[in-house]
Amino acid sequence: MKASRLAATGALAASAVVVLSAPAFAHVSVQPEGTAAKGGYAVVDFKVPNERDDASTTKLEVTFPTDHPLASALPEPMDGWNIKVTKSKLAKPLEVHGKKISEAVSKITWTADGKGIEPGYFEKFPVSVGALPEDADELTFKALQTYSDKEVVRWIEVQKDGAEEPENPAPVLALSAASEDGHAHGSKAEDASDDSRTAENTAADTSAADSSDTTARVLAVVGIVVGALGVAYGVLAGRRRSDAS
């Protein structure tokens, strides 16, 4: 009995070690290139890892949020992938830069025309999006990942407050606070302006220094010439006195 109990306990311990040591599977996620500020524009990357050893990822479908629709969503061209952008009518038009937008991107689909994402690799799918909402802290994008063996993994589960992460969480984009001028790109413009003013001031200082240096050289040459003339005059005057005596 003791031996059987010990064997059972050992088996349970071994299974627990296996469970604890099992790697956490990566999932489809979204991250900004830099920052994604409220009210601004950003380039975001949908990162797609291949979790299978015997199949490639051949298709990615990303559904855009309807509670905070984005007026602009422009995918970057990618070698080896065909891209389809789907737009839908908005129940409530958006006003962007004084213009009313009646439709927005509802889904972007990437379909591989080659090998896709092979086992052991991941790929990023960049999209320029905006204007980002000012009244939200995050945006949720639901995604479908299709493999070459026709398996579809649905990354659509929304994280609930206080709950553990779901098995197939939807990609979530965290939004940072808006800049003081309300535009994410304002600081870059200010930096460029500051650089221009600095260059102008440097050029002015350099020009003034060059002018001062040139004046000093001219005065030095004049001084040498005057000094030489004085020496020559003194020599001639001495000779005249000698001749007169």
Side-chain angles (χ1 to χ4, degrees):
M1 291 294 293
K2 290 183 178 180
S4 61
R5 288 178 182 177
L6 289 173
T9 302
L12 288 173
S15 63
V17 170
V18 170
V19 171
L20 291 174
S21 61
F25 290 110
H27 50 76
V28 175
S29 60
V30 58
Q31 292 292 332
E33 294 184 5
T35 60
K38 297 178 181 180
Y41 289 77
V43 175
V44 299
D45 294 326
F46 291 94
K47 182 180 178 181
V48 182
N50 191 326
E51 298 180 329
R52 302 294 179 265
D53 296 328
D54 54 356
S56 297
T57 296
T58 56
K59 189 177 182 180
L60 173 68
E61 299 173 75
V62 175
T63 301
F64 281 64
T66 56
D67 54 343
H68 294 287
L70 300 174
S72 174
L74 305 174
E76 181 177 321
M78 297 177 59
D79 292 336
W81 295 87
N82 292 319
I83 305 174
K84 180 183 178 182
V85 178
T86 303
K87 294 185 177 182
S88 300
K89 292 287 184 180
L90 297 175
K92 183 179 180 181
L94 298 174
E95 186 170 339
V96 181
H97 302 306
K99 295 182 179 180
K100 288 189 175 181
I101 306 298
S102 59
E103 63 177 14
V105 173
S106 57
K107 183 170 67 173
I108 298 181
T109 304
W110 292 264
T111 305
D113 58 10
K115 296 181 179 180
I117 307 173
E118 298 182 89
Y121 292 88
F122 75 90
E123 194 154 358
K124 293 181 180 179
F125 297 78
V127 182
S128 174
V129 296
L132 297 171
E134 299 180 5
D135 58 348
D137 294 324
E138 61 185 26
L139 294 176
T140 300
F141 300 83
K142 296 182 178 182
L144 302 182
Q145 181 180 8
T146 303
Y147 286 91
S148 55
D149 59 1
K150 307 304 179 183
E151 177 191 8
V152 178
V153 181
R154 302 168 63 83
W155 304 101
I156 61 173
E157 298 179 64
V158 179
Q159 176 72 51
K160 295 182 179 180
D161 293 339
E164 295 183 358
E165 183 181 51
E167 184 178 355
N168 295 312
V172 176
L173 176 67
L175 304 181
S176 61
S179 58
E180 293 181 358
D181 61 359
H183 298 285
H185 54 271
S187 59
K188 294 183 179 179
E190 291 173 2
D191 291 343
S193 178
D194 290 342
D195 291 342
S196 177
R197 287 193 293 268
T198 300
E200 291 176 358
N201 293 336
T202 301
D205 293 342
T206 302
S207 177
D210 291 343
S211 176
S212 177
D213 185 55
T214 300
T215 302
R217 290 181 182 179
V218 170
L219 291 175
V221 172
V222 171
I224 292 172
V225 171
V226 170
L229 291 175
V231 172
Y233 179 79
V235 172
L236 291 175
R239 287 181 179 178
R240 288 177 182 174
R241 286 195 294 269
S242 297
D243 293 340
S245 60

